[in-house]
Structure formats: C-alpha cells, structure tokens
Amino acid sequence: MSLHSPSTPANSTLAPPRWTVRAAHLTTLLVLPSGLWRIALVLGYPAGYTATGFGPFETFGAKAWMLTLSVLCELAAFLTTGLVRPWGEVVPRWIPLLGGRRVRPPAAVVPAALGAAALTVIWADVPWWWTYPHEGMTPTGNLVVGLLYQPLVLWGPLTAAVTLSYYRRHRPARHRATAA
C-alpha cells in the first residue's frame, strides 16, 4: 500500500486523509457568500441596507476596504488548501529564492494554528447576529446578511482540523510510531 497519492510529493510523510482535503477546500467556499455580498456593496447594490444605511458604503475608501477584505479573506481561506496540496510541502519553483525548498512543518503549522485561533475568536459571535442592532438595514437585509455570515463560524475550526492533520502527517517518524 502506497502512502503517497499522485498529488503528494514522493518525499512527503503521508497523503492527507480525504476528509482533510474536503475540509480544506470547504474553507474557500465558507468565505464566498460574505465576500460576494461585500462585492455587491462595492458595485453599488444596497444589498439589504436602507438608502440612509447604504450611504457610508458609497465612498471610495469604503469600497476599497470591502473589496480588499473580500479578496484577502478568500486568499487566506485558499492558503488552507496548501496544508493538503504539494505546494504546502515544497515551495513552488516559480517563487524567487525559496522555490523548490521543502517547507518546514513549523513554518506552516504555527501560522495556520494562530490563524485558526484568531478566526475562531473573530467569528465566534456570528450565531448571535440577530440579537444585535443593525441600524440602517432592512429586516430582510438583516436576515439575509446574517445567513451569509453564518458559515464563517466554521472557518476557524475547519482550519484548525486541517492544521492538526498536517502536523500529524509531518511530525517525525518516531512520534508517529508511538502514537499508533
């Protein structure tokens, strides 16, 4: 039985479990609804706001921030896939100075774990969205926006699970043997 899938480098420790690959890809989808909602605001669609409530979103600075936030969130979520793909084990050759070098596990695990913890804290109170006042939103907008943000609650825990799997696959062989 081979320990390596076709998408896993030959010098990798173990292939990622299927659930881990799915969880990593799911993180990019969790971020998408809220990002698309912000992009609708950038494009001038009030997306659940009253005319008065939408006013602050019509400035260049607000639009630039919302677009930047949407792109950065999606890119951050996409980085989770690096924990289950070959480029999370060996830096792609096209990256100057680092290309072709093996990624040391702590260089992936530490930022991913810190990111997972931060995301969990940041989005922890989203389930209570509807208990907070949202002046300037229509009742339907308040409902829809709350629903669009709910998936973000899973972003941190899924990233943590994928990170733990990466860590377990890349720890020294002597530690894997004692754990089994």
Side-chain angles (χ1 to χ4, degrees):
M1 180 172 137
S2 172
L3 295 177
H4 308 289
S5 70
S7 64
T8 305
N11 57 355
S12 175
T13 315
L14 296 169
R18 186 178 298 167
W19 72 264
T20 308
V21 175
R22 288 181 179 155
H25 290 287
L26 182 58
T27 60
T28 60
L29 296 175
L30 295 174
V31 177
L32 198 54
S34 59
L36 292 175
W37 173 75
R38 284 189 299 272
I39 289 171
L41 292 172
V42 169
L43 295 174
Y45 182 73
Y49 281 96
T50 63
T52 307
F54 184 62
F57 296 103
E58 296 185 285
T59 66
F60 175 79
K63 288 182 179 190
W65 166 246
M66 289 184 294
L67 185 59
T68 301
L69 182 61
S70 295
V71 170
L72 289 177
C73 284
E74 200 61 48
L75 287 174
F78 180 71
L79 284 175
T80 306
T81 61
L83 298 171
V84 298
R85 302 297 301 159
W87 54 269
E89 296 178 2
V90 177
V91 179
R93 294 210 177 274
W94 57 267
I95 296 181
L97 304 175
L98 298 175
R101 292 186 183 184
R102 185 145 180 77
V103 174
R104 294 181 186 263
V109 172
V110 171
L114 291 173
L119 290 167
T120 301
V121 170
I122 289 168
W123 301 113
D125 65 346
V126 169
W128 294 274
W129 166 270
W130 297 283
T131 65
Y132 302 117
H134 296 97
E135 292 87 16
M137 294 193 93
T138 66
T140 303
N142 187 35
L143 173 67
V144 171
V145 173
L147 292 172
L148 293 175
Y149 271 78
Q150 291 305 308
L152 295 174
V153 172
L154 299 174
W155 189 7
L158 281 176
T159 301
V162 174
T163 302
L164 182 60
S165 175
Y166 181 94
Y167 168 75
R168 286 181 174 168
R169 289 190 330 270
H170 292 85
R171 63 187 167 180
R174 65 180 182 278
H175 293 290
R176 280 194 311 276
T178 58

